[in-house]
Amino acid sequence: VMASSSTAAAAPYALIPIADKLHRGNYLVWRAQALATIRGAQLIDHLNPDHPFSESKLADKDGKRTDVPNPAHLIALAQDSQVLSFIFNSISAPVMIQVAHCTKAAAAWTTIREMFLSQTQANIVNTRIALSTTKKGTATIADYIGRMKALGDEMASAGKPLDDDDMVSYILAGLDFDYISFVSSICAARTEPIKVAKLYSQLIGFEKRLAMFEGGNQSSQSSANAVSRGRGGLG
């Protein structure tokens, strides 16, 4: 059993580099893929800076270090180099510049995490601000909801997905005065959370009714103007 365990520990693992190399906009997805690969190879401990390596030399029966190399230490070094090589081959050139000095997998992993953590937090703050300040304006409902959904996707990619209730609140807050009656009716009826898809379909319907109402007003105004001009001609 001991021999088979040693053989398994020494066996090379296939750590296939991630095709979509780590860059500015894909850290969380890249991290998930990297962790799955390293964990699958049973080498996850090499990402822990506090994980101890075995002694480089074997001890005698009295516990004193000898000059005999410790095979377990050599295996651990080889495995760590495999993980480090996997990380190096899975990152883009700008990221590589920041971690090229690292000689251990845990050091490279920690450096990458620290690099992207602050960037991710900044993206979350900026996206929340955009969600709070984006207004429908003159855009169609389809375009407006599309912009809001894109911002929601950015939050999800940053590891902070919004639930439907949050998205609905952001969407309603960005509607203009024409939709005040719609917002009031939605708020009054929200005994249960409304899904974004349902809100979208209701907004599309309300937008069509607004267009019909405005079109009717314009037709009435045109008719009134025509009558006025006709009376002027008769006089």
Side-chain angles (χ1 to χ4, degrees):
V1 176
M2 291 296 291
S4 63
S5 297
S6 299
T7 302
Y13 292 96
L15 292 171
I16 301 172
I18 298 171
D20 186 12
K21 296 181 183 294
L22 176 63
H23 54 80
R24 184 176 170 182
N26 71 336
Y27 172 64
L28 289 176
V29 173
W30 179 91
R31 178 178 179 273
Q33 292 175 311
L35 285 174
T37 301
I38 296 169
R39 192 176 286 117
Q42 300 178 22
L43 298 173
I44 197 69
D45 286 343
H46 289 274
L47 300 184
N48 180 6
D50 299 323
H51 178 65
F53 278 83
S54 54
E55 295 291 342
S56 60
K57 303 294 184 181
L58 289 174
D60 60 20
K61 61 181 181 180
D62 297 322
K64 294 182 180 179
R65 293 292 154 199
T66 66
D67 292 331
V68 181
N70 183 359
H73 179 76
L74 297 177
I75 290 172
L77 285 180
Q79 291 175 337
D80 196 79
S81 293
Q82 285 180 302
V83 177
L84 182 62
S85 177
F86 163 76
I87 293 173
F88 283 170
N89 289 324
S90 300
I91 59 180
S92 62
V95 182
M96 183 64 197
I97 292 171
Q98 303 296 321
V99 299
H101 65 283
C102 297
T103 58
K104 291 286 192 298
W109 186 260
T110 300
T111 300
I112 289 171
R113 184 184 63 202
E114 291 174 350
M115 282 174 58
F116 286 91
L117 190 61
S118 59
Q119 175 186 306
T120 300
Q121 292 301 319
N123 287 344
I124 290 172
V125 171
N126 290 335
T127 305
R128 283 193 184 279
I129 291 172
L131 282 164
S132 300
T133 57
T134 297
K135 303 298 180 185
K136 176 188 173 295
T138 57
T140 63
I141 286 296
D143 288 342
Y144 171 58
I145 298 294
R147 289 205 309 270
M148 297 299 278
K149 282 186 174 180
L151 292 171
D153 289 343
E154 287 186 31
M155 289 294 292
S157 68
K160 295 288 185 180
L162 299 173
D163 59 26
D164 275 309
D165 209 34
D166 287 335
M167 276 301 296
V168 166
S169 295
Y170 282 124
I171 291 169
L172 293 179
L175 295 173
D176 54 26
F177 184 78
D178 286 343
Y179 289 80
I180 191 168
S181 62
F182 177 87
V183 173
S184 298
S185 64
I186 291 292
C187 291
R190 286 178 75 185
T191 54
E192 295 181 2
I194 184 173
K195 299 293 184 182
V196 172
K198 184 175 181 181
L199 177 70
Y200 174 73
S201 65
Q202 290 183 2
L203 278 170
I204 289 292
F206 191 84
E207 181 182 48
K208 289 179 178 178
R209 289 193 295 274
L210 274 180
M212 291 172 61
F213 177 75
E214 290 172 356
N217 278 352
Q218 289 172 0
S219 298
S220 298
Q221 186 63 43
S222 298
S223 299
N225 290 339
V227 170
S228 176
R229 286 195 301 271
R231 285 173 179 169
L234 290 173

